[in-house]
C-alpha cells in the first residue's frame, strides 16, 4: 500500500482538510502536505497520531502503520486468549442481564460470537445451518430459510440491515438478492426502524441498540458489537416474558404452554 495515497484517501473520505487533520494531529498543514506528497517520511508516532485523529478502526490503523513501514501497534488477540478473560466475563454478564429480552454479540463481519437464551425466540423455525456461533447474523436475518418469512416489514428491515453492510460488499450483494423489490412504506418511519417478527408467542415489535467497547486497544475487542433487542410495546414485552418463563419450565423438565401463532 502506498502510504501517502492511503493517508490522503482516508482524510478525504472523512471530509477533512489538511489543516483540520494537522490541527487534530498536533502538526502543521505544511508538514502534512509534505507527508501526503511523499516529500516527507513520518515517524511511527506521527502515523499513530494520524490514525487516531482520523478516528480509524484499529485494524485500519495497523494497515496504515504497515503501509508506512512500521509494525502494527494494536494487538489482535483470540477471544479465547487469557488476556481477554475479563471481556468474556463481561459479555456473559451483559447477555444474562438483558433477559428476558434477546441479545447477541457478533464480530466485524456479523458472525455470531454468543447470544442469550431469549435469542432462541428470534431464531425459532430458522434452518439449523443458519443458527449458532460462527454463523452470520445478517444472513440469518434475510435468508429465505432464516427469519425473512416471519418478518412482517421485511422491506424496511432489510434496508436497515443492508445499509450497515457497506463495508462488506460481497455479503451485501448476496443478501440484497434475497430482498423483495418493494419500497418501504412511509408509514413505517418513526423514531426507530422496528423489527415486526411473527413468533409462537405472538407478534413481536422490537428495536435494537448496538454497543461497542469504546476504549478498546485490541483489534478483536474493538470489532465486537453487542446488539440488544428491546420491546417497542407492552404486548411484545409480555410475550418475551412468557417465552422466558416457558424456557425456564422446559429447562426444569415441565412442558410449557404456548400462545397460538397470529
Amino acid at each position: 500500500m502506498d502510504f501517502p495515497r492511503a493517508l490522503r484517501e482516508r482524510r478525504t473520505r472523512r471530509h477533512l482538510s489538511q489543516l483540520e487533520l494537522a490541527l487534530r494531529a498536533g502538526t502543521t498543514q505544511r508538514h502534512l502536505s509534505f507527508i501526503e506528497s511523499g516529500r516527507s517520511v513520518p515517524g511511527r508516532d506521527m502515523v499513530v497520531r494520524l490514525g487516531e485523529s482520523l478516528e480509524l478502526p484499529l485494524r485500519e490503523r495497523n494497515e496504515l502503520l504497515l503501509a508506512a513501514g512500521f509494525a502494527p501497534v494494536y494487538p489482535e488477540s483470540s477471544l479465547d486468549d487469557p488476556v481477554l478473560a475479563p471481556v468474556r466475563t463481561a459479555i456473559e454478564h451483559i447477555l444474562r442481564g438483558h433477559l428476558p429480552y434477546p441479545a447477541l454479540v457478533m464480530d466485524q463481519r456479523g458472525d455470531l460470537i454468543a447470544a442469550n437464551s431469549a435469542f432462541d425466540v428470534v431464531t425459532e423455525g430458522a434452518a439449523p445451518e443458519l443458527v449458532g456461533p460462527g454463523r452470520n447474523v445478517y444472513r440469518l436475518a434475510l435468508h429465505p430459510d432464516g427469519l425473512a418469512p416471519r418478518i412482517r416489514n421485511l422491506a424496511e428491515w432489510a434496508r436497515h440491515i443492508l445499509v450497515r453492510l457497506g463495508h462488506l460488499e460481497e455479503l451485501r450483494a448476496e443478501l440484497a438478492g434475497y430482498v423483495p423489490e418493494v419500497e418501504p412504506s412511509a408509514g413505517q418511519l418513526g423514531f426507530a426502524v422496528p423489527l415486526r417478527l411473527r413468533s409462537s408467542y405472538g407478534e413481536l415489535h422490537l428495536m435494537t441498540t448496538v454497543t461497542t467497547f469504546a476504549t478498546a486497544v485490541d483489534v478483536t475487542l474493538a470489532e465486537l458489537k453487542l446488539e440488544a433487542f428491546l420491546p417497542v410495546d407492552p404486548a411484545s414485552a409480555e410475550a418475551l416474558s412468557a417465552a422466558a418463563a416457558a424456557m425456564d419450565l422446559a429447562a426444569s423438565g415441565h412442558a410449557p404452554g404456548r400462545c397460538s401463532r397470529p
Side-chain angles (χ1 to χ4, degrees):
M1 189 189 303
D2 174 30
F3 175 76
R5 178 178 57 82
L7 176 61
R8 187 166 54 252
E9 286 178 352
R10 284 159 174 76
R11 177 179 60 78
T12 55
R13 189 196 315 161
R14 283 158 176 76
H15 306 289
L16 291 174
S17 68
Q18 285 186 341
L19 177 59
E20 289 171 322
L21 178 56
L23 290 173
R24 290 186 181 189
T27 187
T28 66
Q29 180 180 0
R30 177 183 174 86
H31 183 44
L32 181 59
S33 176
F34 278 22
I35 291 174
E36 288 193 354
S37 67
R39 296 171 63 187
S40 180
V41 178
R44 190 183 74 160
D45 288 346
M46 175 56 69
V47 177
V48 170
R49 290 211 309 273
L50 288 170
E52 291 175 347
S53 301
L54 287 166
E55 299 180 351
L56 299 177
L58 299 188
R59 185 178 297 277
E60 277 197 62
R61 297 185 198 183
N62 277 344
E63 291 172 354
L64 206 60
L65 282 160
L66 286 169
F70 299 108
V73 169
Y74 304 97
E76 184 174 358
S77 309
S78 166
L79 198 55
D80 296 328
D81 193 305
V83 74
L84 293 185
V87 175
R88 295 194 299 274
T89 300
I91 288 173
E92 293 171 2
H93 178 74
I94 293 170
L95 292 177
R96 285 197 306 269
H98 196 64
L99 291 171
Y101 306 143
L104 61 95
V105 175
M106 57 184 164
D107 65 15
Q108 80 280 7
R109 281 190 48 81
D111 293 340
L112 184 68
I113 301 297
N116 64 13
S117 58
F119 190 57
D120 290 348
V121 179
V122 175
T123 64
E124 65 178 9
E129 62 269 20
L130 296 175
V131 181
R135 307 301 185 186
N136 191 270
V137 175
Y138 301 126
R139 183 175 290 112
L140 168 67
L142 300 185
H143 196 282
D145 295 328
L147 307 187
R150 296 168 45 224
I151 298 178
R152 294 287 300 275
N153 59 332
L154 182 57
E156 288 80 14
W157 188 251
R159 174 172 291 187
H160 163 69
I161 289 179
L162 292 176
V163 166
R164 295 171 61 179
L165 298 180
H167 64 300
L168 300 171
E169 294 181 4
E170 290 186 11
L171 181 62
R172 190 183 191 282
E174 175 198 340
L175 301 190
Y178 301 142
V179 179
E181 295 183 5
V182 178
E183 284 298 317
S185 168
Q188 294 295 329
L189 298 179
F191 67 88
V193 178
L195 170 62
R196 298 177 55 197
L197 184 70
R198 296 186 184 92
S199 84
S200 56
Y201 297 91
E203 183 173 311
L204 304 175
H205 291 191
L206 307 171
M207 63 179 178
T208 64
T209 63
V210 177
T211 304
T212 59
F213 290 86
T215 58
V217 292
D218 184 283
V219 175
T220 300
L221 180 56
E223 292 179 341
L224 292 183
K225 294 179 182 178
L226 170 68
E227 184 149 8
F229 293 78
L230 294 166
V232 173
D233 52 38
S236 298
E238 292 172 6
L240 288 171
S241 295
M247 290 177 186
D248 288 342
L249 283 173
S252 65
H254 296 82
R258 289 194 171 187
C259 302
S260 59
R261 185 182 298 272

